[in-house]
Amino acid sequence: MTTWVEPEGGRERGVEGLAKSFTQVLVNPLTFFDEAVSPGDQAPGLVFGMAVVLVAAATRLALNPGDALAFPAAAWVRVALTVALVVMLVTPAAIHALSALQTLALVVVAPSRAGVSETVQLIAYAAAPCVVAGLGVPAVTALAGLWAFALLVVGTRVVHDLSWPRAAIAAFAPGVLAFGTGFGAWPAVQTVAAGTGLAL
């Protein structure tokens, strides 16, 4: 409890490392999750997740400033404060809550699973496609959410050494909450389906 252990591995730090991680997790997720997720190294993952939310939230509120919280201030101040609250407070809390939820599922399907720290990282990195969720285009949001869910399944399989079915089971609840509800993929899917004459 009183010994500091330096994490080994993990992704590169800084803006360049952030950009590389974004590209790598989208292009080559199997290798990325195998090499970039490291025990006890939550900080880079959290920063990555917060950066994704920053872009998505800032884009959404720039296009729809009326969605900002009702502070007694100028519109741009309300937008800035809303983005700051979502990024700095809501995002870390949500990622940890979703990680706890996935850990409960992993207790059932993965007796020899990796740690909670790794789960925090894979949920944060899986959110990469949702960087475009703030554009407000239902088809784009739906595709981003489905892609993010697929990355979460891939990451769960790699990080926790599971079969595909077990990885999908463990990723289902946190994936639906994070990408379907949090980033709005499920309403977007319903809108796209309604536009094609399907009812979900």
Side-chain angles (χ1 to χ4, degrees), residues 15-34:
V15 176
E16 184 177 350
L18 199 66
K20 284 183 178 179
S21 296
F22 181 78
T23 303
Q24 290 169 354
V25 74
L26 295 177
V27 175
N28 193 1
L30 286 169
T31 300
F32 176 82
F33 284 116
D34 184 47

Side-chain angles (χ1 to χ4, degrees), residues 30 102 106 109-112 152-171:
L30 286 169
Q102 183 162 9
L106 288 166
V109 300
S112 59
L152 183 58
V153 174
V154 171
T156 301
R157 181 181 189 275
V158 173
V159 171
H160 295 289
D161 193 22
L162 298 174
S163 65
W164 287 110
R166 288 175 180 263
I169 291 170

Side-chain angles (χ1 to χ4, degrees), residues 17-154:
L18 199 66
K20 284 183 178 179
S21 296
F22 181 78
T23 303
Q24 290 169 354
V25 74
L26 295 177
V27 175
N28 193 1
L30 286 169
T31 300
F32 176 82
F33 284 116
D34 184 47
E35 296 179 353
V37 174
S38 177
D41 197 24
Q42 290 187 31
L46 285 173
V47 170
F48 185 93
M50 291 165 71
V52 170
V53 172
L54 172 63
V55 175
T59 303
R60 176 189 168 195
L61 290 175
L63 296 173
N64 303 284
D67 290 343
L69 295 175
F71 294 109
W76 71 269
V77 175
R78 291 190 291 108
V79 167
L81 287 174
T82 301
V83 172
L85 285 173
V86 170
V87 173
M88 302 300 293
L89 296 180
V90 176
T91 300
I95 291 175
H96 280 96
L98 293 166
S99 300
L101 180 61
Q102 183 162 9
T103 298
L104 291 176
L106 288 166
V107 168
V108 178
V109 300
S112 59
R113 63 196 175 277
V116 176
S117 173
E118 289 95 313
T119 304
V120 168
Q121 295 171 67
L122 73 88
I123 289 176
Y125 290 129
C130 294
V131 73
V132 297
L135 293 173
V137 180
V140 173
T141 302
L143 179 60
L146 292 172
W147 192 353
F149 181 79
L151 289 178
L152 183 58
V153 174
V154 171

